[in-house]
Amino acid sequence: MKPIWPFFEDLTVSTVETFGGYEVTREEIVTFAAHYDPQPFHLSDEGAVDTPFRSLAASGWHSCGMMMRILVDHLQSDPERQAANIGAVGIDELRWLKPVRSGDRLSCHAEIIEKRVSQSRPDMGLVRSRMTVLNQKGEAVMTMLPLVMVRTRTGC
Amino acid sequence: MKPIWPFFEDLTVSTVETFGGYEVTREEIVTFAAHYDPQPFHLSDEGAVDTPFRSLAASGWHSCGMMMRILVDHLQSDPERQAANIGAVGIDELRWLKPVRSGDRLSCHAEIIEKRVSQSRPDMGLVRSRMTVLNQKGEAVMTMLPLVMVRTRTGC
């Protein structure tokens, strides 16, 4: 498998990868929500009945966490890629499209849409991708446009 | 204290609130990262030495979770506000500006910047705010523009 970003110079816009298979459990939905998003619809089915969710749904921030775990597991399967991945500047256009439920199996579809060398730091490139998180039915449950920093070979 | 959004009709653009006081611990940083973002710089000081973080820093998604907990605690201090808060469509322009560290105390500064009734659902309004998460030094560590759904009084 060809990695997306071992180093900035190796990146190609339009490269696409699909990866992951994260099993979502009721226990994990409730545990995350109890810590970080204790709204009734993230804590029990009963708390969701009179809401648009209808039954227990994961916090949107929990979905972000699960996406990140899927991505990190994928990146760490290649040591060189891990080393070049410095961190994220931020995220644009994060959208929660469908509820994430207990029993869902989440995967990621990532496409590089833009790359440029940093003006201020030539040892660093900026890469924008389009990330789509899909459930086991192939439905997009979340989309976002991460902007990440990637080391250049010349900066090493 | 006047709530920001008991219902859509009560909202006023430019309303500002500051709230929260979340104590960040090393144990919580590492626990979150082990589950959702197990990159070396989120797991130990040693793993961060050769990175721009220099020492242990919270996952950016952990910062989002802590921001959400601060916000939910604030909203749940007013039952009417809680009832009107349906959920979020998404987030624009999320930016991680500074590392969040063990020992930091996080608070939120929220300003309503736009409101409009939903075209498709007159029982619902869309509210955009600017959220800034600050540390105990008053430094902005994270900013974002959440877009949330709020019930209209006419829709109840």
Side-chain angles (χ1 to χ4, degrees), chain B:
Chain B
M1 183 181 63
K2 190 177 181 305
I4 290 189
W5 54 71
F7 284 95
F8 180 78
E9 290 83 347
D10 305 311
L11 293 176
T12 307
V13 170
S14 298
T15 300
V16 170
E17 275 191 312
T18 303
F19 47 90
Y22 193 106
E23 306 280 351
V24 185
T25 66
R26 176 172 296 268
E27 182 188 5
E28 191 185 325
I29 289 174
V30 173
T31 299
F32 184 98
H35 273 93
Y36 296 111
D37 193 352
Q39 301 185 85
F41 35 88
H42 299 319
L43 292 170
S44 70
D45 286 326
E46 297 70 35
V49 168
D50 291 331
T51 76
F53 291 117
R54 300 298 175 203
S55 62
L56 182 72
S59 166
W61 296 115
H62 186 196
S63 298
C64 291
M66 293 187 281
M67 178 280 294
M68 193 65 199
R69 180 56 187 262
I70 294 169
L71 179 61
V72 171
D73 283 350
H74 183 58
L75 296 176
Q76 290 186 342
S77 65
D78 178 336
E80 193 181 43
R81 177 190 286 200
Q82 165 63 22
N85 184 22
I86 304 171
V89 175
I91 305 286
D92 291 305
E93 294 179 33
L94 168 58
R95 292 293 179 271
W96 292 296
L97 303 174
K98 281 183 173 285
V100 171
R101 308 288 192 180
S102 168
D104 279 359
R105 188 170 187 274
L106 303 181
S107 60
C108 292
H109 180 274
E111 177 180 3
I112 296 173
I113 57 175
E114 186 188 352
K115 60 177 275 192
R116 62 177 196 273
V117 176
S118 168
Q119 297 274 328
S120 56
R121 297 208 31 196
D123 61 332
M124 194 183 293
L126 286 168
V127 177
R128 185 178 292 288
S129 55
R130 182 185 309 279
M131 177 72 81
T132 304
V133 178
L134 303 154
N135 64 19
Q136 70 284 357
K137 300 176 199 161
E139 297 168 332
V141 295
M142 182 170 71
T143 54
M144 66 180 74
L145 305 180
L147 185 61
V148 302
M149 295 176 287
V150 181
R151 285 202 178 95
T152 58
R153 284 190 192 281
T154 52
C156 288

